[in-house]
Amino acid sequence: MYTPKPEHKFSFGLWTIGNTGRDPFGEPVRNALTPAEIVYTIGEVGAWGVNFHDNDLIPIDATAAQAAQIKSAFRKALDDTGVIVPMATTNLFTDPAFRDGAFTSNDPQVRAYALHKTLRAIDLGAEFGAKTYVFWGGREGTETDAGKNPLDAGKWFREALNFVCEYVIDQGYGMRIALEPKPNEPRGDIYLPTVGSMLAFIETLDHSEMVGVNPEVAHEHMAGLNFVHAVAQALDAGKLFHIDLNDQSFGRYDQDFRFGAHNIKSAFFLVKLLEDNGYDNPRHFDAHAYRTSDREDVKAFARGCMRTYLILKERVAQFNADAEIQALLAEITADDGAMDAYKGAYSAEKAAALKAHTFDRIALGQRGQPYERLDQLTIELLLGVR
Ligand code: GCO
Ligand code: MN
Ligand code: MN
């Protein structure tokens, strides 16, 4: 029942399963795996897809012969396991050239290099069948605003994305672009820090129809925001092209915990939102095993992400079928039709009638809502006693 299946579209990045546990204070604690080895692990734990940055697959300084050898081993692992490549992206943050950003660097040579690297990485993604291309601007930001004009930065980023969209169309790749916001880390402040700001920016692009968002649980939580609300706004806009699932405590560094590891209640409402609204794009776990894990425990981490998702999905079905919960919801959202005349599109008559209506404000203010009862039932359901 909690076994992952292809239709769940669970994916992991090469960088997630492959993560060696290096952090700003400590060296790697796990051996590095080749891309092919990571694909076999992903196949073994039962996931559907593997995503990569260009340099997760091909090191930045690889020769053509090395690249060809890596690609053929990777291709064989995909064929052997049936794992597919749904998404690809560009590493625009590791190399020192990007220390002041990529598309928003003050240096025109760096901006051009970022575009060059991205076009080649898009080709690499297309070669392996990726249908979603992610942009996470990890270095697109500042520590001080003394040296960079945020309006210029926005203009440069827009120009680059317009160029990329035309390139994808020109090549006939049929890819969609997903922009991933993050408020900070590794920059002091990253431009377009939240899902809301990214959604607004997308509407300024030449090909906004092919650009959506890739929201990440940890990123909105780092900003102290409600992730479920952010994702709902993206769904409402038809822009939820991809999602990065993980977990994070509020107010901490970028933790990238296993999905559902920290805040089970918000994970539940997230799964509910996705499942109730027929979300059918990839469910990508952009998370890392604890630094204390060995390679065997990394598999437990990966299985845990998927298993928790599927358990929560079952809890959602239970919530939707629970008579007591549904009765409370019906009570909360009850509508006797008395206000129907004022609903819907504007008309001068409707506005006049609404203004003339007398409301019993005191009675309205006396009406409570049984949210405590509903929330306790939700908690009991999640704790497995219903
Ligand atoms: C992070 C980001 C990245 C991106 C990845 C794919 O906080 O480091 O979430 O993991 O998702 O670069 O674009
Ligand atoms: Mn992240
Ligand atoms: Mn991410």
Side-chain angles (χ1 to χ4, degrees):
M1 170 139 207
Y2 307 130
T3 306
K5 299 201 181 68
E7 75 243 31
H8 300 132
K9 299 191 174 173
F10 290 140
S11 64
F12 290 89
L14 286 179
W15 70 95
T16 65
I17 302 286
N19 181 271
T20 58
R22 200 170 127 263
D23 73 14
F25 304 94
E27 298 302 340
V29 291
R30 289 185 283 267
N31 60 310
L33 301 174
T34 65
E37 285 171 330
I38 298 170
V39 172
Y40 288 112
T41 303
I42 289 176
E44 184 185 335
V45 299
W48 158 82
V50 61
N51 310 309
F52 58 77
H53 301 84
D54 49 355
N55 304 134
D56 298 336
L57 187 60
I58 316 285
I60 196 163
D61 50 5
T63 63
Q66 287 165 337
Q69 189 275 326
I70 294 168
K71 282 202 254 180
S72 88
F74 184 66
R75 173 83 64 194
K76 178 170 185 314
L78 295 174
D79 292 345
D80 287 349
T81 55
V83 170
I84 68 157
V85 175
M87 176 273 258
T89 181
T90 327
N91 184 326
L92 295 172
F93 43 89
T94 299
D95 195 84
F98 301 121
R99 64 205 288 183
D100 189 28
F103 301 121
T104 66
S105 166
N106 271 324
D107 185 334
Q109 291 232 27
V110 173
R111 297 200 298 275
Y113 173 56
L115 195 52
H116 153 103
K117 194 171 191 291
T118 299
L119 298 183
R120 295 165 68 114
I122 288 175
D123 294 343
L124 183 66
E127 188 179 334
F128 286 98
K131 286 290 165 218
T132 306
Y133 202 85
V134 164
F135 282 82
W136 170 64
R139 299 262 177 217
E140 313 289 16
T142 60
E143 284 72 41
T144 169
D145 289 324
K148 204 184 282 184
N149 179 339
L151 283 172
D152 284 343
K155 186 173 83 62
W156 292 330
F157 190 40
R158 180 180 304 111
E159 274 171 12
L161 285 168
N162 286 341
F163 196 100
V164 162
C165 287
E166 293 287 356
Y167 180 73
V168 167
I169 294 168
D170 206 18
Q171 298 297 314
Y173 285 155
M175 276 174 182
R176 297 199 298 179
I177 310 284
L179 307 182
E180 178 178 344
K182 187 177 183 180
N184 56 271
E185 231 184 294
R187 293 313 292 267
D189 290 286
I190 300 177
Y191 296 126
L192 302 169
T194 63
V195 172
S197 42
M198 213 50 110
L199 286 169
F201 175 74
I202 287 170
E203 295 310 315
T204 72
L205 298 173
D206 290 349
H207 285 284
S208 57
E209 76 287 350
M210 61 190 278
V211 186
V213 287
N214 178 35
E216 175 169 317
V217 179
H219 297 179
E220 300 299 296
H221 284 188
M222 284 168 73
L225 299 175
N226 183 316
F227 188 63
V228 176
H229 295 185
V231 172
Q233 192 187 350
L235 274 172
D236 180 61
K239 292 294 187 190
L240 192 64
F241 289 3
H242 201 267
I243 193 163
D244 276 4
L245 302 170
N246 56 14
D247 213 348
Q248 169 78 30
S249 39
F250 281 78
R252 298 284 169 91
Y253 67 98
D254 183 14
Q255 294 174 309
D256 285 330
F257 287 154
R258 188 180 75 256
F259 180 62
H262 186 75
N263 192 339
I264 197 76
K265 194 174 171 188
S266 68
F268 168 74
F269 287 119
L270 175 63
V271 173
K272 185 169 190 309
L273 180 75
L274 297 176
E275 297 300 324
D276 284 353
N277 292 288
Y279 175 74
D280 196 29
N281 293 323
R283 293 171 176 81
H284 171 229
F285 298 104
D286 192 10
H288 301 153
Y290 301 137
R291 192 164 181 267
T292 40
S293 296
D294 59 15
R295 283 273 160 225
E296 205 45 44
D297 206 40
V298 171
K299 290 181 204 165
F301 144 84
R303 291 193 175 101
C305 286
M306 298 185 284
R307 193 173 158 83
T308 296
Y309 189 100
L310 293 174
I311 295 169
L312 289 174
K313 184 176 168 178
E314 186 197 30
R315 293 286 181 254
V316 169
Q318 201 184 335
F319 182 99
N320 291 344
D322 187 302
E324 201 178 341
I325 287 175
Q326 292 308 313
L328 282 176
L329 279 172
E331 181 186 331
I332 286 164
T333 57
D335 184 347
D336 64 5
M339 295 294 118
D340 283 359
Y342 308 130
K343 283 184 193 160
Y346 173 83
S347 75
E349 298 70 39
K350 213 184 263 182
L354 179 58
K355 286 203 292 181
H357 188 95
T358 308
F359 287 90
D360 186 349
R361 177 177 56 80
I362 306 297
L364 288 178
Q366 281 168 350
R367 251 176 72 186
Q369 293 285 29
Y371 290 147
E372 286 287 0
R373 267 178 285 160
L374 180 61
D375 192 68
Q376 182 63 24
L377 290 175
T378 308
I379 291 290
E380 293 191 11
L381 186 146
L382 287 175
L383 293 179
V385 297
R386 277 189 80 68

